Amino acid sequence: MNTAGHPEATERRGLELTPFRGLRYDPDRVGSLAAVTSPPYDVVVRPDGLHHLQDADPHNIVRLILPQATTPSARNEQAADTLRRWLSEGVLTTDPEPGLYVYEQRDGDGLLQRGVIGALRLSDPSEGVVLPHEDVMPHVVADRAALMRATSANLEPLLLTYRGNGTPADTTTVVERIAEAPALLSTTTEDGYSHRLWSVTDPTDLGRIQQDLAHHQALIADGHHRWATYRRLRAEHPSPSPWDYGLVLLVDTARYPLRVRAIHRLLHGVPVADALSSLDGLFRVQHLEVPLQEALEALADAACAGNAFLLAGDGAFHLVDHPDPDLLARTIPADHPAAWRTLDATVLHATLLDHVWLIPEDDPARIAYIHDTAATVRKAERDGGTAVLMHPVREEVVRDLARQGVTMPRKSTSFGPKPASGLVLRALDV
């Protein structure tokens, strides 16, 4: 495990993954497993995707991770009531013995991802065990914490990555052997991904996995707000307690590289013409009358040479690049590594949002963060706002900054594929 810059990490184990009694849907009580799953809460495009998932099955997991009511407290109480009802009705059942879970995802393009789901001991960033790479929004952490308090459950796993060493006793060897056996569950979701899950209860297998992971550190690929929520709730409960652990999926990216995509921004109430007019003399702007895919290719080419963004929402695309060097020097903090200062997300937040457009990055009434590119454009066109499309950051850049203890601007990356929510939950009172 790389502990450079983190002397505290040498005084304790690395990743401590523990078995738990998984909470899973009874396939005989729901229409289909695919119909009750959902993307992670922050990937659901609302309200369209939310309504679609709610209509897919009355027991869809979205009713727990994104409950709908008139006030936050009512939403959380509704989720808690729903969870209690589903448990009493046998819609959700608890596995008979604690275990870890091998989880596999495949798509039609040949992607294969496997990892291990378990309850991970929480740690502070200073320990160098779990490395965050993005800042979080306090109101989102507060919202997730209130939901977890109400339900007393980890409703969906975070996605963490680590770099395996390829030794015969490593976790991946156990994972791949177990994946040859019949799966505990198997389903294909409407996005074309197939999902399989196996339980790992054999003491020898559990011991090999735990011993191997104890020598590794992990990068938070997806779930910074939920990790911050886990840590907040741990601080509220005297240790030892179940709140000392949080539900995660750990993927060895030396064996199963993840895809890294961008997270886009939607500026509410800002017409494209207004967003562009304020860039006059500060950035180069090129008008593109091309389809989305060609516009994204133009963005990729421009991003190779420097900071670049695509603006959309008026029926066309506008390539924004070549920022004025004096503007960057005035607006970007100089007390960070060059790799951070030159990130597109840094320029977007420190220069465009803070100084040019004057839009607070954590005000949901002014800005939204959306993973789906086409959906961002559609919503901008429908609502009269501006879509700001980003080019993804390479994983090596993310990991190197994280190891230096440098966090990127919030919502800078989207690693995937993300684990489907609803396949296995963790109740903290079991």
Side-chain angles (χ1 to χ4, degrees):
M1 186 178 72
N2 183 340
T3 59
H6 298 287
E8 300 93 336
T10 61
E11 299 173 5
R12 57 163 294 158
R13 292 166 60 86
L15 299 169
E16 298 182 28
L17 196 67
T18 65
F20 69 104
R21 295 178 63 198
L23 196 60
R24 297 188 297 109
Y25 282 99
D26 182 343
D28 295 331
R29 301 297 304 272
V30 297
S32 73
L33 289 174
V36 296
T37 64
S38 164
Y41 79 98
D42 58 340
V43 182
V44 176
V45 178
R46 290 167 269 186
D48 302 356
L50 178 64
H51 294 156
H52 173 73
L53 291 165
Q54 286 178 330
D55 294 341
D57 190 285
H59 301 112
N60 189 283
I61 191 67
V62 79
R63 297 178 184 274
L64 298 182
I65 63 175
L66 288 173
Q68 299 299 294
T70 54
T71 66
S73 60
R75 288 196 297 268
N76 296 327
E77 188 53 43
Q78 177 177 292
D81 289 343
T82 300
L83 178 57
R84 285 192 290 266
R85 186 174 70 254
W86 289 356
L87 288 168
S88 66
E89 294 173 351
V91 173
L92 288 170
T93 60
T94 305
D95 282 338
E97 58 181 318
L100 301 175
Y101 296 84
V102 170
Y103 176 48
E104 175 189 280
Q105 292 166 278
R106 292 179 184 264
D107 71 1
D109 298 326
L111 179 140
L112 169 63
Q113 178 173 292
R114 288 177 178 145
V116 180
I117 295 175
L120 184 68
R121 178 177 287 279
L122 305 181
S123 58
D124 296 327
S126 62
E127 298 175 68
V129 177
V130 175
L131 306 176
H133 70 268
E134 289 183 357
D135 292 331
V136 297
M137 292 177 270
H139 75 275
V140 176
V141 176
D143 177 72
R144 290 293 102 185
L147 178 63
M148 286 191 204
R149 282 191 208 99
T151 57
S152 191
N154 298 155
L155 300 173
E156 46 186 348
L158 284 64
L159 174 60
L160 306 185
T161 72
Y162 70 100
R163 302 288 293 181
N165 52 22
T167 61
D170 70 6
T171 299
T172 300
T173 301
V174 178
V175 165
E176 293 180 350
R177 175 174 52 78
I178 288 174
E180 296 175 357
L184 193 64
L185 65 84
S186 178
T187 190
T188 300
T189 45
E190 63 180 11
D191 58 6
Y193 278 92
S194 65
H195 308 261
R196 294 199 295 169
L197 192 76
W198 296 260
S199 61
V200 185
T201 57
D202 178 79
T204 301
D205 288 336
L206 292 173
R208 292 179 69 186
I209 292 173
Q210 291 173 312
Q211 182 178 12
D212 175 52
L213 292 177
H215 300 288
H216 293 287
Q217 65 181 176
L219 175 74
I220 301 177
D222 184 69
H224 283 81
H225 288 91
R226 282 167 286 165
W227 181 257
T229 299
Y230 288 168
R231 293 182 57 239
R232 172 183 288 195
L233 294 173
R234 177 191 63 174
E236 296 175 2
H237 295 82
S239 185
S241 82
W243 297 94
D244 293 339
Y245 299 81
L247 185 64
V248 306
L249 165 65
L250 277 163
V251 174
D252 175 4
T253 54
R255 179 68 179 88
Y256 300 106
L258 270 65
R259 292 173 175 166
V260 187
R261 293 190 169 100
I263 302 176
H264 310 295
R265 277 67 171 161
L266 175 61
L267 311 183
H268 298 302
V270 180
V272 175
D274 292 352
L276 291 173
S277 65
S278 60
L279 301 180
D280 188 33
L282 302 177
F283 286 77
R284 184 178 71 173
V285 178
Q286 300 178 67
H287 182 78
L288 306 178
E289 288 282 358
V290 297
L292 174 59
Q293 187 55 44
E294 289 185 33
L296 292 173
E297 292 169 1
L299 173 63
D301 290 341
C304 292
N307 301 118
F309 312 91
L310 267 183
L311 270 57
D314 60 353
F317 296 98
H318 309 272
L319 181 62
V320 175
D321 63 357
H322 289 202
D324 174 54
D326 291 338
L327 173 68
L328 299 184
R330 293 195 311 270
T331 57
I332 294 179
D335 59 346
H336 283 66
W340 180 90
R341 297 197 306 270
T342 55
L343 288 169
D344 287 339
T346 298
V347 174
L348 173 63
H349 284 255
T351 302
L352 286 170
L353 292 179
D354 289 353
H355 290 272
V356 177
W357 292 328
L358 304 179
I359 295 176
E361 61 184 20
D362 56 357
D363 183 353
R366 302 286 303 281
I367 186 171
Y369 298 82
I370 304 176
H371 293 71
D372 186 279
T373 309
T376 310
V377 176
R378 286 195 303 269
K379 288 177 73 64
E381 292 177 344
R382 184 181 64 194
D383 302 340
T386 295
V388 182
L389 306 183
M390 310 281 288
H391 185 67
V393 182
R394 291 179 292 112
E395 181 182 356
E396 311 89 80
V397 174
V398 176
R399 193 176 294 275
D400 287 346
L401 285 171
R403 283 177 171 157
Q404 296 177 57
V406 178
T407 55
M408 299 167 64
R410 56 196 61 172
K411 299 293 183 180
S412 292
T413 58
S414 176
F415 284 88
K418 304 178 191 304
S421 298
L423 296 181
V424 60
L425 294 65
R426 174 177 174 253
L428 279 81
D429 51 6
V430 172

